[in-house]
Amino acid sequence: MSPWIALVSLLTVLLMSACMFAVGMARGRHGVKAPATTGHPDFERVFRVQMNTLEASVMFLPALWLAGAYGDPAWAAGFGALWLVGRVLYAVMYARDAQRRGAGFVITLLALSALLVQGGWGIAKALLAA
C-alpha cells in the first residue's frame, strides 16, 4: 500500500475519533445521558455528524484502497485527501447549522465518485487482461 493511501486512511480514522470525542463533549455540555441519542438540537447535530461520517467512511475506505491498488495511488491519495477536506467542512458546517452542510457533502460525493471510477476502471482492466 502506498504510504499516502495509508496516511489518508489514518487521518480518516482520526476524523472518526474526533467526531466521537465531539459527541461525548456535547453529551456533557447539553446533559444528554447515554444511551439517549436525542435531546438538545446542538447535541443532535453533532451526533448526526458522527453517524454520517461513520456511514460515509464505510464506503470511502474500501473505495480508496481499491483505487490505490488498481489505479494510480497518487491520484487515489489526492482524491482521498479531497474527501477528507470535504468531510471536515461538512462536519464543521453541519455542527453549526445543518442547512449549511451542502458544500462539504458535494465535495465528498465527488471525491468518492472519482475513487469509485478509478477503482472500477482499474479492476475492469485487470479482469480483461487476465
Side-chain angles (χ1 to χ4, degrees):
M1 176 183 292
S2 154
W4 294 108
I5 300 288
L7 177 62
V8 171
S9 299
L10 175 64
L11 292 173
T12 300
V13 173
L14 292 174
L15 174 62
M16 289 188 286
S17 298
C19 289
M20 182 179 65
F21 180 76
V23 169
M25 296 298 292
R27 279 188 184 283
R29 187 169 37 256
H30 301 293
V32 179
K33 304 286 185 214
T37 57
T38 60
H40 194 281
D42 290 347
F43 166 77
E44 290 180 12
R45 283 194 309 277
V46 172
F47 180 76
R48 284 309 314 153
V49 165
Q50 180 197 19
M51 290 297 100
N52 292 347
T53 299
L54 198 60
E55 293 162 0
S57 297
V58 169
M59 294 179 288
F60 166 69
L61 286 170
L64 172 68
W65 300 332
L66 289 170
Y70 288 94
D72 184 321
W75 278 99
F79 290 135
L82 182 62
W83 185 91
L84 273 170
V85 168
R87 203 71 213 170
V88 169
L89 177 64
Y90 173 89
V92 169
M93 298 312 286
Y94 196 150
R96 290 182 187 165
D97 176 5
Q99 302 306 312
R100 298 181 61 207
R101 71 191 188 278
F105 176 80
V106 169
I107 293 168
T108 59
L109 181 63
L110 292 174
L112 176 62
S113 298
L115 288 168
L116 291 171
V117 167
Q118 183 182 1
W121 181 258
I123 291 168
K125 284 182 13 183
L127 287 172
L128 289 174

